[in-house]
Amino acid sequence: MSNVAGVIPFKAKPGRGEDVARLIANALPHVEQEPGTLTWLVLRSEADPDLVFVVDLFANTASRTAHLSGEAAKQIFATVPPHLAEPPVVHAATITASKT
């Protein structure tokens, strides 16, 4: 298993969390075309419904780089920002433990 990951928290404007999650999820068809993106999750916080996370696992660093400049990212960053309370920050990450 690869240890290359990414996490992006998206803080929606009050009451817009569902919209943000839906707009991000609309990029799934593009992500499905990325062989190096092994896992792609869109998570909406139960504690704060206006907080949405994208969690990605990649085959390697090149796959992460390709994903962040690919069609899914373009679609998300073209449609989601008007609904956000603050700009999202991409956190490149390394998996230190996992269970699959």
Side-chain angles (χ1 to χ4, degrees):
M1 177 176 175
S2 171
N3 68 346
V4 179
V7 178
I8 307 173
F10 291 85
K11 180 61 178 168
K13 292 177 182 175
R16 305 300 297 269
E18 184 175 350
D19 296 328
V20 168
R22 179 183 43 78
L23 289 168
I24 294 169
N26 286 343
L28 179 59
H30 294 299
V31 176
E32 289 176 329
Q33 301 302 311
E34 301 174 353
T37 302
L38 306 177
T39 301
W40 187 73
L41 303 171
V42 180
L43 309 171
R44 187 169 173 217
S45 172
E46 291 181 5
D48 179 356
D50 291 323
L51 185 57
V52 178
F53 298 93
V54 172
V55 179
D56 310 282
L57 305 179
F58 302 99
N60 50 46
T61 303
S63 297
R64 179 173 58 202
T65 300
H67 172 74
L68 292 173
S69 62
E71 293 304 314
K74 289 176 187 173
Q75 179 178 331
I76 290 167
F77 288 106
T79 60
V80 173
H83 305 279
L84 298 179
E86 57 193 52
V89 176
V90 177
H91 298 273
T94 303
I95 299 169
T96 56
S98 68
K99 177 185 174 190
T100 56

PDB file of all heavy atoms in Angstrom, residues 70-95:
ATOM      1  N   GLY A  70      -5.597  17.972 -12.109  1.00  0.00           N
ATOM      2  CA  GLY A  70      -6.482  17.287 -13.048  1.00  0.00           C
ATOM      3  C   GLY A  70      -7.872  17.889 -13.133  1.00  0.00           C
ATOM      4  O   GLY A  70      -8.186  18.922 -12.530  1.00  0.00           O
ATOM      5  N   GLU A  71      -8.720  17.210 -13.881  1.00  0.00           N
ATOM      6  CA  GLU A  71     -10.070  17.696 -14.160  1.00  0.00           C
ATOM      7  C   GLU A  71     -10.949  17.771 -12.911  1.00  0.00           C
ATOM      8  O   GLU A  71     -11.765  18.679 -12.779  1.00  0.00           O
ATOM      9  CB  GLU A  71     -10.731  16.835 -15.237  1.00  0.00           C
ATOM     10  CG  GLU A  71     -10.068  16.955 -16.603  1.00  0.00           C
ATOM     11  CD  GLU A  71     -10.006  18.386 -17.107  1.00  0.00           C
ATOM     12  OE1 GLU A  71     -11.037  19.102 -17.029  1.00  0.00           O
ATOM     13  OE2 GLU A  71      -8.929  18.810 -17.560  1.00  0.00           O
ATOM     14  N   ALA A  72     -10.802  16.821 -11.988  1.00  0.00           N
ATOM     15  CA  ALA A  72     -11.604  16.868 -10.762  1.00  0.00           C
ATOM     16  C   ALA A  72     -11.279  18.127  -9.970  1.00  0.00           C
ATOM     17  O   ALA A  72     -12.180  18.852  -9.533  1.00  0.00           O
ATOM     18  CB  ALA A  72     -11.362  15.621  -9.912  1.00  0.00           C
ATOM     19  N   ALA A  73      -9.998  18.395  -9.786  1.00  0.00           N
ATOM     20  CA  ALA A  73      -9.584  19.588  -9.042  1.00  0.00           C
ATOM     21  C   ALA A  73     -10.053  20.853  -9.747  1.00  0.00           C
ATOM     22  O   ALA A  73     -10.543  21.791  -9.098  1.00  0.00           O
ATOM     23  CB  ALA A  73      -8.072  19.598  -8.859  1.00  0.00           C
ATOM     24  N   LYS A  74      -9.940  20.882 -11.059  1.00  0.00           N
ATOM     25  CA  LYS A  74     -10.396  22.056 -11.811  1.00  0.00           C
ATOM     26  C   LYS A  74     -11.881  22.288 -11.598  1.00  0.00           C
ATOM     27  O   LYS A  74     -12.328  23.422 -11.397  1.00  0.00           O
ATOM     28  CB  LYS A  74     -10.094  21.877 -13.298  1.00  0.00           C
ATOM     29  CG  LYS A  74      -8.625  21.978 -13.631  1.00  0.00           C
ATOM     30  CD  LYS A  74      -8.392  21.703 -15.116  1.00  0.00           C
ATOM     31  CE  LYS A  74      -6.911  21.635 -15.422  1.00  0.00           C
ATOM     32  NZ  LYS A  74      -6.652  21.202 -16.810  1.00  0.00           N
ATOM     33  N   GLN A  75     -12.666  21.214 -11.654  1.00  0.00           N
ATOM     34  CA  GLN A  75     -14.115  21.348 -11.462  1.00  0.00           C
ATOM     35  C   GLN A  75     -14.429  21.835 -10.043  1.00  0.00           C
ATOM     36  O   GLN A  75     -15.248  22.742  -9.855  1.00  0.00           O
ATOM     37  CB  GLN A  75     -14.815  20.018 -11.728  1.00  0.00           C
ATOM     38  CG  GLN A  75     -16.318  20.090 -11.515  1.00  0.00           C
ATOM     39  CD  GLN A  75     -17.010  18.775 -11.834  1.00  0.00           C
ATOM     40  OE1 GLN A  75     -16.552  18.006 -12.663  1.00  0.00           O
ATOM     41  NE2 GLN A  75     -18.124  18.528 -11.165  1.00  0.00           N
ATOM     42  N   ILE A  76     -13.783  21.233  -9.054  1.00  0.00           N
ATOM     43  CA  ILE A  76     -14.047  21.608  -7.660  1.00  0.00           C
ATOM     44  C   ILE A  76     -13.686  23.070  -7.429  1.00  0.00           C
ATOM     45  O   ILE A  76     -14.477  23.839  -6.874  1.00  0.00           O
ATOM     46  CB  ILE A  76     -13.271  20.681  -6.700  1.00  0.00           C
ATOM     47  CG1 ILE A  76     -13.887  19.265  -6.740  1.00  0.00           C
ATOM     48  CG2 ILE A  76     -13.269  21.246  -5.280  1.00  0.00           C
ATOM     49  CD1 ILE A  76     -13.041  18.193  -6.093  1.00  0.00           C
ATOM     50  N   PHE A  77     -12.502  23.483  -7.874  1.00  0.00           N
ATOM     51  CA  PHE A  77     -12.059  24.844  -7.597  1.00  0.00           C
ATOM     52  C   PHE A  77     -12.739  25.881  -8.492  1.00  0.00           C
ATOM     53  O   PHE A  77     -12.650  27.080  -8.230  1.00  0.00           O
ATOM     54  CB  PHE A  77     -10.538  24.929  -7.630  1.00  0.00           C
ATOM     55  CG  PHE A  77      -9.922  24.261  -6.424  1.00  0.00           C
ATOM     56  CD1 PHE A  77      -9.295  23.026  -6.536  1.00  0.00           C
ATOM     57  CD2 PHE A  77     -10.013  24.852  -5.178  1.00  0.00           C
ATOM     58  CE1 PHE A  77      -8.753  22.407  -5.411  1.00  0.00           C
ATOM     59  CE2 PHE A  77      -9.488  24.237  -4.051  1.00  0.00           C
ATOM     60  CZ  PHE A  77      -8.852  23.011  -4.166  1.00  0.00           C
ATOM     61  N   ALA A  78     -13.478  25.428  -9.498  1.00  0.00           N
ATOM     62  CA  ALA A  78     -14.278  26.346 -10.316  1.00  0.00           C
ATOM     63  C   ALA A  78     -15.681  26.537  -9.752  1.00  0.00           C
ATOM     64  O   ALA A  78     -16.320  27.555 -10.007  1.00  0.00           O
ATOM     65  CB  ALA A  78     -14.369  25.832 -11.753  1.00  0.00           C
ATOM     66  N   THR A  79     -16.172  25.564  -8.965  1.00  0.00           N
ATOM     67  CA  THR A  79     -17.566  25.619  -8.512  1.00  0.00           C
ATOM     68  C   THR A  79     -17.739  25.835  -7.011  1.00  0.00           C
ATOM     69  O   THR A  79     -18.749  26.389  -6.585  1.00  0.00           O
ATOM     70  CB  THR A  79     -18.313  24.328  -8.903  1.00  0.00           C
ATOM     71  OG1 THR A  79     -17.666  23.200  -8.285  1.00  0.00           O
ATOM     72  CG2 THR A  79     -18.347  24.140 -10.411  1.00  0.00           C
ATOM     73  N   VAL A  80     -16.788  25.422  -6.211  1.00  0.00           N
ATOM     74  CA  VAL A  80     -16.968  25.416  -4.759  1.00  0.00           C
ATOM     75  C   VAL A  80     -16.628  26.746  -4.070  1.00  0.00           C
ATOM     76  O   VAL A  80     -17.340  27.158  -3.145  1.00  0.00           O
ATOM     77  CB  VAL A  80     -16.172  24.240  -4.140  1.00  0.00           C
ATOM     78  CG1 VAL A  80     -16.183  24.298  -2.621  1.00  0.00           C
ATOM     79  CG2 VAL A  80     -16.736  22.912  -4.621  1.00  0.00           C
ATOM     80  N   PRO A  81     -15.578  27.465  -4.451  1.00  0.00           N
ATOM     81  CA  PRO A  81     -15.168  28.648  -3.679  1.00  0.00           C
ATOM     82  C   PRO A  81     -16.242  29.676  -3.355  1.00  0.00           C
ATOM     83  O   PRO A  81     -16.227  30.235  -2.247  1.00  0.00           O
ATOM     84  CB  PRO A  81     -14.032  29.245  -4.527  1.00  0.00           C
ATOM     85  CG  PRO A  81     -13.400  28.037  -5.136  1.00  0.00           C
ATOM     86  CD  PRO A  81     -14.590  27.154  -5.494  1.00  0.00           C
ATOM     87  N   PRO A  82     -17.229  29.952  -4.222  1.00  0.00           N
ATOM     88  CA  PRO A  82     -18.245  30.933  -3.829  1.00  0.00           C
ATOM     89  C   PRO A  82     -19.058  30.534  -2.598  1.00  0.00           C
ATOM     90  O   PRO A  82     -19.684  31.376  -1.961  1.00  0.00           O
ATOM     91  CB  PRO A  82     -19.152  31.033  -5.060  1.00  0.00           C
ATOM     92  CG  PRO A  82     -18.310  30.578  -6.194  1.00  0.00           C
ATOM     93  CD  PRO A  82     -17.395  29.531  -5.619  1.00  0.00           C
ATOM     94  N   HIS A  83     -19.028  29.255  -2.253  1.00  0.00           N
ATOM     95  CA  HIS A  83     -19.798  28.748  -1.120  1.00  0.00           C
ATOM     96  C   HIS A  83     -18.959  28.619   0.153  1.00  0.00           C
ATOM     97  O   HIS A  83     -19.465  28.149   1.174  1.00  0.00           O
ATOM     98  CB  HIS A  83     -20.392  27.376  -1.468  1.00  0.00           C
ATOM     99  CG  HIS A  83     -21.202  27.391  -2.717  1.00  0.00           C
ATOM    100  ND1 HIS A  83     -22.513  27.836  -2.748  1.00  0.00           N
ATOM    101  CD2 HIS A  83     -20.893  27.046  -3.989  1.00  0.00           C
ATOM    102  CE1 HIS A  83     -22.966  27.758  -3.981  1.00  0.00           C
ATOM    103  NE2 HIS A  83     -22.003  27.282  -4.756  1.00  0.00           N
ATOM    104  N   LEU A  84     -17.694  29.025   0.094  1.00  0.00           N
ATOM    105  CA  LEU A  84     -16.782  28.829   1.217  1.00  0.00           C
ATOM    106  C   LEU A  84     -16.632  30.071   2.080  1.00  0.00           C
ATOM    107  O   LEU A  84     -16.647  31.197   1.590  1.00  0.00           O
ATOM    108  CB  LEU A  84     -15.410  28.400   0.708  1.00  0.00           C
ATOM    109  CG  LEU A  84     -15.355  27.078  -0.058  1.00  0.00           C
ATOM    110  CD1 LEU A  84     -13.940  26.795  -0.532  1.00  0.00           C
ATOM    111  CD2 LEU A  84     -15.883  25.934   0.796  1.00  0.00           C
ATOM    112  N   ALA A  85     -16.425  29.832   3.372  1.00  0.00           N
ATOM    113  CA  ALA A  85     -16.172  30.905   4.326  1.00  0.00           C
ATOM    114  C   ALA A  85     -14.710  31.330   4.306  1.00  0.00           C
ATOM    115  O   ALA A  85     -14.375  32.438   4.706  1.00  0.00           O
ATOM    116  CB  ALA A  85     -16.558  30.444   5.729  1.00  0.00           C
ATOM    117  N   GLU A  86     -13.844  30.429   3.845  1.00  0.00           N
ATOM    118  CA  GLU A  86     -12.407  30.705   3.771  1.00  0.00           C
ATOM    119  C   GLU A  86     -11.803  29.821   2.692  1.00  0.00           C
ATOM    120  O   GLU A  86     -12.361  28.771   2.366  1.00  0.00           O
ATOM    121  CB  GLU A  86     -11.738  30.447   5.119  1.00  0.00           C
ATOM    122  CG  GLU A  86     -11.952  29.039   5.634  1.00  0.00           C
ATOM    123  CD  GLU A  86     -11.569  28.847   7.089  1.00  0.00           C
ATOM    124  OE1 GLU A  86     -12.033  29.631   7.934  1.00  0.00           O
ATOM    125  OE2 GLU A  86     -10.805  27.907   7.361  1.00  0.00           O
ATOM    126  N   PRO A  87     -10.673  30.228   2.138  1.00  0.00           N
ATOM    127  CA  PRO A  87     -10.057  29.404   1.090  1.00  0.00           C
ATOM    128  C   PRO A  87      -9.590  28.055   1.649  1.00  0.00           C
ATOM    129  O   PRO A  87      -9.098  27.982   2.773  1.00  0.00           O
ATOM    130  CB  PRO A  87      -8.858  30.229   0.632  1.00  0.00           C
ATOM    131  CG  PRO A  87      -9.097  31.605   1.146  1.00  0.00           C
ATOM    132  CD  PRO A  87      -9.964  31.468   2.371  1.00  0.00           C
ATOM    133  N   PRO A  88      -9.748  26.990   0.869  1.00  0.00           N
ATOM    134  CA  PRO A  88      -9.271  25.685   1.328  1.00  0.00           C
ATOM    135  C   PRO A  88      -7.749  25.606   1.249  1.00  0.00           C
ATOM    136  O   PRO A  88      -7.114  26.312   0.464  1.00  0.00           O
ATOM    137  CB  PRO A  88      -9.904  24.703   0.336  1.00  0.00           C
ATOM    138  CG  PRO A  88     -10.104  25.514  -0.896  1.00  0.00           C
ATOM    139  CD  PRO A  88     -10.380  26.927  -0.438  1.00  0.00           C
ATOM    140  N   VAL A  89      -7.178  24.775   2.094  1.00  0.00           N
ATOM    141  CA  VAL A  89      -5.735  24.538   2.100  1.00  0.00           C
ATOM    142  C   VAL A  89      -5.512  23.060   1.821  1.00  0.00           C
ATOM    143  O   VAL A  89      -6.092  22.196   2.491  1.00  0.00           O
ATOM    144  CB  VAL A  89      -5.111  24.926   3.458  1.00  0.00           C
ATOM    145  CG1 VAL A  89      -3.635  24.587   3.490  1.00  0.00           C
ATOM    146  CG2 VAL A  89      -5.338  26.404   3.749  1.00  0.00           C
ATOM    147  N   VAL A  90      -4.683  22.772   0.826  1.00  0.00           N
ATOM    148  CA  VAL A  90      -4.342  21.393   0.488  1.00  0.00           C
ATOM    149  C   VAL A  90      -3.218  20.940   1.409  1.00  0.00           C
ATOM    150  O   VAL A  90      -2.174  21.587   1.489  1.00  0.00           O
ATOM    151  CB  VAL A  90      -3.896  21.273  -0.979  1.00  0.00           C
ATOM    152  CG1 VAL A  90      -3.471  19.851  -1.303  1.00  0.00           C
ATOM    153  CG2 VAL A  90      -5.003  21.751  -1.910  1.00  0.00           C
ATOM    154  N   HIS A  91      -3.455  19.844   2.108  1.00  0.00           N
ATOM    155  CA  HIS A  91      -2.448  19.274   3.003  1.00  0.00           C
ATOM    156  C   HIS A  91      -1.916  17.976   2.395  1.00  0.00           C
ATOM    157  O   HIS A  91      -2.592  16.950   2.435  1.00  0.00           O
ATOM    158  CB  HIS A  91      -3.042  18.966   4.375  1.00  0.00           C
ATOM    159  CG  HIS A  91      -3.569  20.167   5.105  1.00  0.00           C
ATOM    160  ND1 HIS A  91      -2.768  20.946   5.907  1.00  0.00           N
ATOM    161  CD2 HIS A  91      -4.805  20.718   5.124  1.00  0.00           C
ATOM    162  CE1 HIS A  91      -3.501  21.931   6.405  1.00  0.00           C
ATOM    163  NE2 HIS A  91      -4.737  21.821   5.935  1.00  0.00           N
ATOM    164  N   ALA A  92      -0.743  18.047   1.775  1.00  0.00           N
ATOM    165  CA  ALA A  92      -0.081  16.813   1.345  1.00  0.00           C
ATOM    166  C   ALA A  92       0.256  16.049   2.635  1.00  0.00           C
ATOM    167  O   ALA A  92       0.672  16.652   3.617  1.00  0.00           O
ATOM    168  CB  ALA A  92       1.170  17.130   0.567  1.00  0.00           C
ATOM    169  N   ALA A  93       0.035  14.746   2.617  1.00  0.00           N
ATOM    170  CA  ALA A  93       0.202  13.972   3.842  1.00  0.00           C
ATOM    171  C   ALA A  93       0.850  12.627   3.554  1.00  0.00           C
ATOM    172  O   ALA A  93       0.853  12.150   2.425  1.00  0.00           O
ATOM    173  CB  ALA A  93      -1.155  13.771   4.504  1.00  0.00           C
ATOM    174  N   THR A  94       1.382  12.045   4.607  1.00  0.00           N
ATOM    175  CA  THR A  94       1.959  10.712   4.560  1.00  0.00           C
ATOM    176  C   THR A  94       1.225   9.838   5.567  1.00  0.00           C
ATOM    177  O   THR A  94       1.031  10.240   6.713  1.00  0.00           O
ATOM    178  CB  THR A  94       3.457  10.765   4.922  1.00  0.00           C
ATOM    179  OG1 THR A  94       4.117  11.653   4.034  1.00  0.00           O
ATOM    180  CG2 THR A  94       4.094   9.400   4.834  1.00  0.00           C
ATOM    181  N   ILE A  95       0.802   8.677   5.121  1.00  0.00           N
ATOM    182  CA  ILE A  95       0.105   7.741   6.010  1.00  0.00           C
ATOM    183  C   ILE A  95       1.122   7.126   6.953  1.00  0.00           C
ATOM    184  O   ILE A  95       2.151   6.600   6.520  1.00  0.00           O
ATOM    185  CB  ILE A  95      -0.609   6.658   5.189  1.00  0.00           C
ATOM    186  CG1 ILE A  95      -1.642   7.289   4.275  1.00  0.00           C
ATOM    187  CG2 ILE A  95      -1.249   5.616   6.116  1.00  0.00           C
ATOM    188  CD1 ILE A  95      -2.206   6.350   3.236  1.00  0.00           C
TER     189      ILE A  95
END
